[in-house]
Amino acid sequence: MSLSNGSPATAMAVANPWAVVPSLGNLDAYISAVNRLPMLTLEEEQQFGRELKDNNDLEAAGKLVLSHLRLVVSVSRKYLGYGLPHGDLIQEGNIGLMKAVKRFDPDQGVRLVSYALHWIRAEIHEYILKNWRMVKVATTKAQRKLFFNLRSMKQGFKDDADTQTHRDTLTDAQIETMARQLNVKREEVIEMETRMSGGDVLLDPAPSDDGEQAFGPIAYLADAAHEPTAMMESKQRDVMATQGIAAALETLDPRSRRIVEERWLKVNDDGSGGLTLHDLASEYGVSAERIRQIESAAMKKMKKALAAYA
């Protein structure tokens, strides 16, 4: 039996299986076209399936795909709540349908529609998980199953007039119900609900309308302490504070060195500093002003030595 026994559009499908299907760019026209394509009978499906399996007949494969495009449209509608374009969902589902047709064995006694459902859903699920959030909400097979079942059950709670809470978050009773029905731990339901309810946040947001840079997480996520330039500057400061100061002190005469050490470098156990200007003035038999002048000259000399050392 052949698809050519139907409408003129079907006859075109035999010559060019994709000629009757418009581009997904015009989604309404596409859906209308695929809904007009005739379904295959069991005998036709088995015939085309054997032609593809035994002879790699691509025309037969095209007929199998065409007759099930409406199935992809129907399945894709169930995933519109994720905020992704319907055309993209259909496109991914069509990929799953083609994979199913390629692997379809007509001798297994299973209709293609039942076999293809798994592949269509799998491709749509994969697309949603890759594109719904920048950061994946589900990575393992168990998490993926929980992700889609949890969303479906949560929507069911909202639609149920008797249990509707007018809240986005789940109640303890709803969490317990989900965990029991999905055969998972209560903590797993809570963790997945938290992942699903959390939105994406721009690390580096665009400037505001007044031209000022908006504050974003990137401002406090960056580890300035380990930034290469900062690390080099910190290392240089450490070297200057140890080896550099020691080299600069070597350029001073003994009196100037002692004055600098007592005034700036000495710290007693009680936290106090060294000798005062008057203490040093009494020790050297000069005025406090003279000690200050010596100290000032010594500091200038050390700055030159530090500059040369750097």
mmCIF file of all heavy atoms in Angstrom, residues 2-49:
data_model
loop_
_atom_site.group_PDB
_atom_site.id
_atom_site.type_symbol
_atom_site.label_atom_id
_atom_site.label_comp_id
_atom_site.label_asym_id
_atom_site.label_seq_id
_atom_site.Cartn_x
_atom_site.Cartn_y
_atom_site.Cartn_z
ATOM 1 N N SER A 2 0.369 2.317 -0.563
ATOM 2 C CA SER A 2 1.206 3.496 -0.736
ATOM 3 C C SER A 2 0.478 4.740 -0.292
ATOM 4 O O SER A 2 -0.742 4.833 -0.372
ATOM 5 C CB SER A 2 1.614 3.635 -2.207
ATOM 6 O OG SER A 2 2.272 4.850 -2.417
ATOM 7 N N LEU A 3 1.250 5.725 0.182
ATOM 8 C CA LEU A 3 0.697 7.010 0.561
ATOM 9 C C LEU A 3 0.114 7.753 -0.639
ATOM 10 O O LEU A 3 -0.672 8.674 -0.491
ATOM 11 C CB LEU A 3 1.778 7.883 1.209
ATOM 12 C CG LEU A 3 2.053 7.624 2.682
ATOM 13 C CD1 LEU A 3 3.265 8.435 3.098
ATOM 14 C CD2 LEU A 3 0.859 7.980 3.546
ATOM 15 N N SER A 4 0.482 7.360 -1.833
ATOM 16 C CA SER A 4 0.023 8.066 -3.025
ATOM 17 C C SER A 4 -1.455 7.849 -3.294
ATOM 18 O O SER A 4 -2.021 8.471 -4.171
ATOM 19 C CB SER A 4 0.843 7.631 -4.245
ATOM 20 O OG SER A 4 0.698 6.243 -4.462
ATOM 21 N N ASN A 5 -2.102 6.976 -2.534
ATOM 22 C CA ASN A 5 -3.523 6.733 -2.723
ATOM 23 C C ASN A 5 -4.382 7.771 -2.022
ATOM 24 O O ASN A 5 -5.593 7.611 -1.916
ATOM 25 C CB ASN A 5 -3.895 5.333 -2.199
ATOM 26 C CG ASN A 5 -3.215 4.246 -3.015
ATOM 27 O OD1 ASN A 5 -2.968 4.431 -4.194
ATOM 28 N ND2 ASN A 5 -2.921 3.118 -2.381
ATOM 29 N N GLY A 6 -3.785 8.836 -1.515
ATOM 30 C CA GLY A 6 -4.532 9.843 -0.777
ATOM 31 C C GLY A 6 -4.695 11.107 -1.577
ATOM 32 O O GLY A 6 -4.943 11.099 -2.778
ATOM 33 N N SER A 7 -4.513 12.242 -0.863
ATOM 34 C CA SER A 7 -4.735 13.549 -1.455
ATOM 35 C C SER A 7 -3.593 13.943 -2.373
ATOM 36 O O SER A 7 -2.538 13.323 -2.375
ATOM 37 C CB SER A 7 -4.867 14.591 -0.339
ATOM 38 O OG SER A 7 -3.642 14.671 0.365
ATOM 39 N N PRO A 8 -3.767 15.039 -3.165
ATOM 40 C CA PRO A 8 -2.677 15.534 -4.018
ATOM 41 C C PRO A 8 -1.446 15.897 -3.197
ATOM 42 O O PRO A 8 -0.322 15.706 -3.639
ATOM 43 C CB PRO A 8 -3.287 16.766 -4.698
ATOM 44 C CG PRO A 8 -4.759 16.497 -4.691
ATOM 45 C CD PRO A 8 -5.035 15.748 -3.435
ATOM 46 N N ALA A 9 -1.667 16.443 -1.984
ATOM 47 C CA ALA A 9 -0.521 16.781 -1.137
ATOM 48 C C ALA A 9 0.260 15.545 -0.783
ATOM 49 O O ALA A 9 1.490 15.542 -0.714
ATOM 50 C CB ALA A 9 -1.013 17.494 0.127
ATOM 51 N N THR A 10 -0.468 14.427 -0.562
ATOM 52 C CA THR A 10 0.207 13.174 -0.231
ATOM 53 C C THR A 10 0.990 12.652 -1.421
ATOM 54 O O THR A 10 2.075 12.086 -1.284
ATOM 55 C CB THR A 10 -0.823 12.135 0.231
ATOM 56 O OG1 THR A 10 -1.581 12.695 1.285
ATOM 57 C CG2 THR A 10 -0.143 10.875 0.710
ATOM 58 N N ALA A 11 0.432 12.833 -2.602
ATOM 59 C CA ALA A 11 1.150 12.391 -3.804
ATOM 60 C C ALA A 11 2.452 13.145 -3.955
ATOM 61 O O ALA A 11 3.469 12.587 -4.356
ATOM 62 C CB ALA A 11 0.273 12.621 -5.041
ATOM 63 N N MET A 12 2.452 14.432 -3.597
ATOM 64 C CA MET A 12 3.689 15.209 -3.625
ATOM 65 C C MET A 12 4.679 14.660 -2.627
ATOM 66 O O MET A 12 5.889 14.665 -2.852
ATOM 67 C CB MET A 12 3.396 16.678 -3.318
ATOM 68 C CG MET A 12 2.660 17.425 -4.423
ATOM 69 S SD MET A 12 2.334 19.131 -3.927
ATOM 70 C CE MET A 12 4.007 19.714 -3.696
ATOM 71 N N ALA A 13 4.189 14.187 -1.495
ATOM 72 C CA ALA A 13 5.081 13.680 -0.451
ATOM 73 C C ALA A 13 5.869 12.480 -0.924
ATOM 74 O O ALA A 13 6.970 12.234 -0.463
ATOM 75 C CB ALA A 13 4.259 13.329 0.799
ATOM 76 N N VAL A 14 5.281 11.685 -1.869
ATOM 77 C CA VAL A 14 5.994 10.515 -2.362
ATOM 78 C C VAL A 14 7.195 10.948 -3.200
ATOM 79 O O VAL A 14 8.289 10.410 -3.089
ATOM 80 C CB VAL A 14 5.047 9.627 -3.194
ATOM 81 C CG1 VAL A 14 5.802 8.455 -3.781
ATOM 82 C CG2 VAL A 14 3.888 9.159 -2.330
ATOM 83 N N ALA A 15 7.000 11.936 -4.045
ATOM 84 C CA ALA A 15 8.095 12.412 -4.887
ATOM 85 C C ALA A 15 9.130 13.172 -4.070
ATOM 86 O O ALA A 15 10.329 13.008 -4.253
ATOM 87 C CB ALA A 15 7.536 13.302 -5.994
ATOM 88 N N ASN A 16 8.663 14.013 -3.190
ATOM 89 C CA ASN A 16 9.552 14.800 -2.332
ATOM 90 C C ASN A 16 8.911 14.880 -0.949
ATOM 91 O O ASN A 16 8.030 15.706 -0.724
ATOM 92 C CB ASN A 16 9.767 16.187 -2.908
ATOM 93 C CG ASN A 16 10.761 17.000 -2.092
ATOM 94 O OD1 ASN A 16 11.270 16.534 -1.069
ATOM 95 N ND2 ASN A 16 11.037 18.198 -2.544
ATOM 96 N N PRO A 17 9.295 14.008 -0.035
ATOM 97 C CA PRO A 17 8.603 13.891 1.254
ATOM 98 C C PRO A 17 8.483 15.193 2.007
ATOM 99 O O PRO A 17 7.537 15.389 2.764
ATOM 100 C CB PRO A 17 9.468 12.882 2.013
ATOM 101 C CG PRO A 17 10.154 12.096 0.958
ATOM 102 C CD PRO A 17 10.389 13.059 -0.158
ATOM 103 N N TRP A 18 9.413 16.142 1.830
ATOM 104 C CA TRP A 18 9.395 17.353 2.633
ATOM 105 C C TRP A 18 8.783 18.554 1.901
ATOM 106 O O TRP A 18 8.701 19.644 2.456
ATOM 107 C CB TRP A 18 10.825 17.702 3.072
ATOM 108 C CG TRP A 18 11.477 16.574 3.799
ATOM 109 C CD1 TRP A 18 12.450 15.758 3.331
ATOM 110 C CD2 TRP A 18 11.171 16.097 5.113
ATOM 111 N NE1 TRP A 18 12.782 14.795 4.259
ATOM 112 C CE2 TRP A 18 12.011 14.992 5.367
ATOM 113 C CE3 TRP A 18 10.253 16.493 6.094
ATOM 114 C CZ2 TRP A 18 11.969 14.278 6.548
ATOM 115 C CZ3 TRP A 18 10.226 15.778 7.283
ATOM 116 C CH2 TRP A 18 11.060 14.693 7.502
ATOM 117 N N ALA A 19 8.343 18.349 0.678
ATOM 118 C CA ALA A 19 7.844 19.475 -0.109
ATOM 119 C C ALA A 19 6.562 20.058 0.466
ATOM 120 O O ALA A 19 6.289 21.248 0.307
ATOM 121 C CB ALA A 19 7.607 19.045 -1.560
ATOM 122 N N VAL A 20 5.759 19.237 1.131
ATOM 123 C CA VAL A 20 4.462 19.712 1.632
ATOM 124 C C VAL A 20 4.569 20.334 3.007
ATOM 125 O O VAL A 20 3.585 20.811 3.552
ATOM 126 C CB VAL A 20 3.442 18.547 1.679
ATOM 127 C CG1 VAL A 20 3.183 18.020 0.286
ATOM 128 C CG2 VAL A 20 3.940 17.427 2.591
ATOM 129 N N VAL A 21 5.748 20.310 3.593
ATOM 130 C CA VAL A 21 5.926 20.842 4.947
ATOM 131 C C VAL A 21 6.636 22.183 4.872
ATOM 132 O O VAL A 21 7.797 22.240 4.482
ATOM 133 C CB VAL A 21 6.743 19.866 5.828
ATOM 134 C CG1 VAL A 21 6.868 20.419 7.239
ATOM 135 C CG2 VAL A 21 6.070 18.501 5.842
ATOM 136 N N PRO A 22 5.956 23.269 5.225
ATOM 137 C CA PRO A 22 6.604 24.590 5.192
ATOM 138 C C PRO A 22 7.651 24.726 6.272
ATOM 139 O O PRO A 22 7.759 23.898 7.184
ATOM 140 C CB PRO A 22 5.437 25.554 5.412
ATOM 141 C CG PRO A 22 4.432 24.755 6.179
ATOM 142 C CD PRO A 22 4.559 23.345 5.677
ATOM 143 N N SER A 23 8.415 25.800 6.183
ATOM 144 C CA SER A 23 9.472 26.052 7.166
ATOM 145 C C SER A 23 8.875 26.343 8.538
ATOM 146 O O SER A 23 7.759 26.857 8.668
ATOM 147 C CB SER A 23 10.323 27.236 6.720
ATOM 148 O OG SER A 23 11.174 27.669 7.754
ATOM 149 N N LEU A 24 9.647 26.012 9.584
ATOM 150 C CA LEU A 24 9.218 26.307 10.952
ATOM 151 C C LEU A 24 9.193 27.808 11.218
ATOM 152 O O LEU A 24 8.695 28.236 12.254
ATOM 153 C CB LEU A 24 10.145 25.622 11.953
ATOM 154 C CG LEU A 24 9.734 24.206 12.384
ATOM 155 C CD1 LEU A 24 10.840 23.560 13.196
ATOM 156 C CD2 LEU A 24 8.441 24.222 13.163
ATOM 157 N N GLY A 25 9.726 28.599 10.286
ATOM 158 C CA GLY A 25 9.660 30.044 10.450
ATOM 159 C C GLY A 25 8.228 30.538 10.465
ATOM 160 O O GLY A 25 7.906 31.531 11.113
ATOM 161 N N ASN A 26 7.348 29.859 9.742
ATOM 162 C CA ASN A 26 5.914 30.155 9.773
ATOM 163 C C ASN A 26 5.259 29.018 10.551
ATOM 164 O O ASN A 26 4.811 28.023 9.975
ATOM 165 C CB ASN A 26 5.359 30.247 8.350
ATOM 166 C CG ASN A 26 3.929 30.759 8.324
ATOM 167 O OD1 ASN A 26 3.224 30.725 9.331
ATOM 168 N ND2 ASN A 26 3.497 31.223 7.162
ATOM 169 N N LEU A 27 5.217 29.161 11.857
ATOM 170 C CA LEU A 27 4.816 28.060 12.730
ATOM 171 C C LEU A 27 3.375 27.638 12.500
ATOM 172 O O LEU A 27 3.066 26.436 12.468
ATOM 173 C CB LEU A 27 5.029 28.464 14.199
ATOM 174 C CG LEU A 27 4.845 27.352 15.236
ATOM 175 C CD1 LEU A 27 5.817 26.216 14.963
ATOM 176 C CD2 LEU A 27 5.068 27.908 16.646
ATOM 177 N N ASP A 28 2.466 28.608 12.327
ATOM 178 C CA ASP A 28 1.053 28.266 12.126
ATOM 179 C C ASP A 28 0.859 27.474 10.842
ATOM 180 O O ASP A 28 0.102 26.500 10.810
ATOM 181 C CB ASP A 28 0.209 29.541 12.093
ATOM 182 C CG ASP A 28 0.148 30.234 13.444
ATOM 183 O OD1 ASP A 28 0.364 29.542 14.461
ATOM 184 O OD2 ASP A 28 -0.108 31.457 13.486
ATOM 185 N N ALA A 29 1.540 27.898 9.786
ATOM 186 C CA ALA A 29 1.425 27.180 8.511
ATOM 187 C C ALA A 29 2.012 25.776 8.632
ATOM 188 O O ALA A 29 1.475 24.813 8.065
ATOM 189 C CB ALA A 29 2.134 27.961 7.405
ATOM 190 N N TYR A 30 3.104 25.660 9.363
ATOM 191 C CA TYR A 30 3.740 24.346 9.561
ATOM 192 C C TYR A 30 2.788 23.400 10.282
ATOM 193 O O TYR A 30 2.572 22.253 9.855
ATOM 194 C CB TYR A 30 5.037 24.508 10.345
ATOM 195 C CG TYR A 30 5.683 23.200 10.734
ATOM 196 C CD1 TYR A 30 6.572 22.559 9.866
ATOM 197 C CD2 TYR A 30 5.402 22.588 11.948
ATOM 198 C CE1 TYR A 30 7.160 21.350 10.205
ATOM 199 C CE2 TYR A 30 5.989 21.377 12.303
ATOM 200 C CZ TYR A 30 6.864 20.769 11.428
ATOM 201 O OH TYR A 30 7.435 19.568 11.767
ATOM 202 N N ILE A 31 2.216 23.858 11.388
ATOM 203 C CA ILE A 31 1.323 23.005 12.182
ATOM 204 C C ILE A 31 0.099 22.619 11.371
ATOM 205 O O ILE A 31 -0.362 21.469 11.401
ATOM 206 C CB ILE A 31 0.919 23.720 13.490
ATOM 207 C CG1 ILE A 31 2.157 23.908 14.379
ATOM 208 C CG2 ILE A 31 -0.148 22.937 14.235
ATOM 209 C CD1 ILE A 31 1.885 24.694 15.641
ATOM 210 N N SER A 32 -0.435 23.575 10.640
ATOM 211 C CA SER A 32 -1.607 23.290 9.801
ATOM 212 C C SER A 32 -1.280 22.239 8.739
ATOM 213 O O SER A 32 -2.089 21.339 8.467
ATOM 214 C CB SER A 32 -2.095 24.582 9.136
ATOM 215 O OG SER A 32 -3.179 24.335 8.270
ATOM 216 N N ALA A 33 -0.078 22.330 8.164
ATOM 217 C CA ALA A 33 0.311 21.390 7.111
ATOM 218 C C ALA A 33 0.498 19.982 7.656
ATOM 219 O O ALA A 33 0.023 19.006 7.058
ATOM 220 C CB ALA A 33 1.587 21.879 6.428
ATOM 221 N N VAL A 34 1.200 19.854 8.785
ATOM 222 C CA VAL A 34 1.465 18.512 9.312
ATOM 223 C C VAL A 34 0.189 17.859 9.832
ATOM 224 O O VAL A 34 0.062 16.626 9.805
ATOM 225 C CB VAL A 34 2.542 18.552 10.420
ATOM 226 C CG1 VAL A 34 3.853 19.092 9.877
ATOM 227 C CG2 VAL A 34 2.080 19.346 11.624
ATOM 228 N N ASN A 35 -0.769 18.651 10.271
ATOM 229 C CA ASN A 35 -2.036 18.081 10.742
ATOM 230 C C ASN A 35 -2.891 17.567 9.581
ATOM 231 O O ASN A 35 -3.802 16.764 9.801
ATOM 232 C CB ASN A 35 -2.822 19.111 11.548
ATOM 233 C CG ASN A 35 -2.255 19.297 12.946
ATOM 234 O OD1 ASN A 35 -1.613 18.394 13.498
ATOM 235 N ND2 ASN A 35 -2.485 20.462 13.537
ATOM 236 N N ARG A 36 -2.610 18.040 8.362
ATOM 237 C CA ARG A 36 -3.347 17.566 7.190
ATOM 238 C C ARG A 36 -2.737 16.305 6.585
ATOM 239 O O ARG A 36 -3.364 15.634 5.767
ATOM 240 C CB ARG A 36 -3.403 18.658 6.116
ATOM 241 C CG ARG A 36 -4.293 19.844 6.482
ATOM 242 C CD ARG A 36 -4.622 20.678 5.245
ATOM 243 N NE ARG A 36 -3.411 21.148 4.588
ATOM 244 C CZ ARG A 36 -2.841 22.318 4.835
ATOM 245 N NH1 ARG A 36 -3.339 23.126 5.758
ATOM 246 N NH2 ARG A 36 -1.756 22.693 4.179
ATOM 247 N N LEU A 37 -1.516 15.976 6.976
ATOM 248 C CA LEU A 37 -0.873 14.777 6.442
ATOM 249 C C LEU A 37 -1.575 13.530 6.986
ATOM 250 O O LEU A 37 -1.874 13.450 8.171
ATOM 251 C CB LEU A 37 0.604 14.750 6.828
ATOM 252 C CG LEU A 37 1.485 15.827 6.188
ATOM 253 C CD1 LEU A 37 2.887 15.773 6.778
ATOM 254 C CD2 LEU A 37 1.547 15.643 4.679
ATOM 255 N N PRO A 38 -1.854 12.539 6.134
ATOM 256 C CA PRO A 38 -2.585 11.341 6.587
ATOM 257 C C PRO A 38 -1.715 10.450 7.470
ATOM 258 O O PRO A 38 -0.500 10.391 7.317
ATOM 259 C CB PRO A 38 -2.953 10.643 5.282
ATOM 260 C CG PRO A 38 -1.884 11.071 4.320
ATOM 261 C CD PRO A 38 -1.536 12.479 4.694
ATOM 262 N N MET A 39 -2.379 9.785 8.393
ATOM 263 C CA MET A 39 -1.702 8.802 9.232
ATOM 264 C C MET A 39 -1.559 7.492 8.460
ATOM 265 O O MET A 39 -2.355 7.187 7.562
ATOM 266 C CB MET A 39 -2.499 8.569 10.513
ATOM 267 C CG MET A 39 -2.648 9.803 11.387
ATOM 268 S SD MET A 39 -1.078 10.315 12.130
ATOM 269 C CE MET A 39 -0.772 8.952 13.256
ATOM 270 N N LEU A 40 -0.556 6.707 8.814
ATOM 271 C CA LEU A 40 -0.344 5.421 8.160
ATOM 272 C C LEU A 40 -1.162 4.337 8.842
ATOM 273 O O LEU A 40 -1.361 4.363 10.061
ATOM 274 C CB LEU A 40 1.140 5.043 8.214
ATOM 275 C CG LEU A 40 2.132 5.939 7.472
ATOM 276 C CD1 LEU A 40 3.552 5.419 7.680
ATOM 277 C CD2 LEU A 40 1.804 6.021 5.999
ATOM 278 N N THR A 41 -1.597 3.394 8.059
ATOM 279 C CA THR A 41 -2.219 2.211 8.640
ATOM 280 C C THR A 41 -1.119 1.298 9.179
ATOM 281 O O THR A 41 0.079 1.506 8.902
ATOM 282 C CB THR A 41 -3.043 1.454 7.589
ATOM 283 O OG1 THR A 41 -2.142 0.950 6.570
ATOM 284 C CG2 THR A 41 -4.082 2.359 6.950
ATOM 285 N N LEU A 42 -1.495 0.274 9.909
ATOM 286 C CA LEU A 42 -0.510 -0.669 10.443
ATOM 287 C C LEU A 42 0.252 -1.342 9.313
ATOM 288 O O LEU A 42 1.478 -1.508 9.392
ATOM 289 C CB LEU A 42 -1.211 -1.713 11.312
ATOM 290 C CG LEU A 42 -0.328 -2.850 11.842
ATOM 291 C CD1 LEU A 42 0.798 -2.293 12.704
ATOM 292 C CD2 LEU A 42 -1.168 -3.856 12.625
ATOM 293 N N GLU A 43 -0.469 -1.730 8.250
ATOM 294 C CA GLU A 43 0.189 -2.407 7.123
ATOM 295 C C GLU A 43 1.182 -1.485 6.423
ATOM 296 O O GLU A 43 2.290 -1.895 6.056
ATOM 297 C CB GLU A 43 -0.861 -2.903 6.119
ATOM 298 C CG GLU A 43 -1.756 -4.021 6.629
ATOM 299 C CD GLU A 43 -2.833 -3.530 7.584
ATOM 300 O OE1 GLU A 43 -3.003 -2.286 7.679
ATOM 301 O OE2 GLU A 43 -3.495 -4.360 8.228
ATOM 302 N N GLU A 44 0.804 -0.228 6.225
ATOM 303 C CA GLU A 44 1.704 0.731 5.586
ATOM 304 C C GLU A 44 2.939 0.969 6.444
ATOM 305 O O GLU A 44 4.073 1.028 5.935
ATOM 306 C CB GLU A 44 0.968 2.046 5.344
ATOM 307 C CG GLU A 44 -0.087 1.990 4.257
ATOM 308 C CD GLU A 44 -0.881 3.268 4.160
ATOM 309 O OE1 GLU A 44 -1.094 3.916 5.216
ATOM 310 O OE2 GLU A 44 -1.287 3.635 3.044
ATOM 311 N N GLU A 45 2.735 1.122 7.726
ATOM 312 C CA GLU A 45 3.857 1.381 8.643
ATOM 313 C C GLU A 45 4.842 0.228 8.630
ATOM 314 O O GLU A 45 6.067 0.434 8.588
ATOM 315 C CB GLU A 45 3.297 1.595 10.050
ATOM 316 C CG GLU A 45 4.348 1.968 11.083
ATOM 317 C CD GLU A 45 3.729 2.239 12.435
ATOM 318 O OE1 GLU A 45 3.030 3.269 12.562
ATOM 319 O OE2 GLU A 45 3.928 1.423 13.363
ATOM 320 N N GLN A 46 4.337 -1.010 8.653
ATOM 321 C CA GLN A 46 5.223 -2.174 8.636
ATOM 322 C C GLN A 46 5.944 -2.299 7.301
ATOM 323 O O GLN A 46 7.116 -2.667 7.244
ATOM 324 C CB GLN A 46 4.416 -3.439 8.934
ATOM 325 C CG GLN A 46 3.931 -3.525 10.369
ATOM 326 C CD GLN A 46 3.153 -4.787 10.641
ATOM 327 O OE1 GLN A 46 2.635 -5.435 9.721
ATOM 328 N NE2 GLN A 46 3.052 -5.155 11.923
ATOM 329 N N GLN A 47 5.211 -1.981 6.206
ATOM 330 C CA GLN A 47 5.836 -2.050 4.882
ATOM 331 C C GLN A 47 6.995 -1.074 4.766
ATOM 332 O O GLN A 47 8.107 -1.441 4.366
ATOM 333 C CB GLN A 47 4.795 -1.761 3.806
ATOM 334 C CG GLN A 47 5.393 -1.675 2.395
ATOM 335 C CD GLN A 47 4.405 -1.116 1.394
ATOM 336 O OE1 GLN A 47 3.196 -1.104 1.625
ATOM 337 N NE2 GLN A 47 4.918 -0.645 0.257
ATOM 338 N N PHE A 48 6.749 0.190 5.129
ATOM 339 C CA PHE A 48 7.803 1.192 5.033
ATOM 340 C C PHE A 48 8.931 0.904 6.021
ATOM 341 O O PHE A 48 10.099 1.165 5.744
ATOM 342 C CB PHE A 48 7.216 2.586 5.274
ATOM 343 C CG PHE A 48 6.221 3.007 4.236
ATOM 344 C CD1 PHE A 48 5.060 3.676 4.596
ATOM 345 C CD2 PHE A 48 6.436 2.727 2.891
ATOM 346 C CE1 PHE A 48 4.140 4.066 3.645
ATOM 347 C CE2 PHE A 48 5.513 3.119 1.924
ATOM 348 C CZ PHE A 48 4.359 3.779 2.309
ATOM 349 N N GLY A 49 8.578 0.378 7.185
ATOM 350 C CA GLY A 49 9.597 0.042 8.174
ATOM 351 C C GLY A 49 10.534 -1.037 7.668
ATOM 352 O O GLY A 49 11.751 -0.965 7.876
#
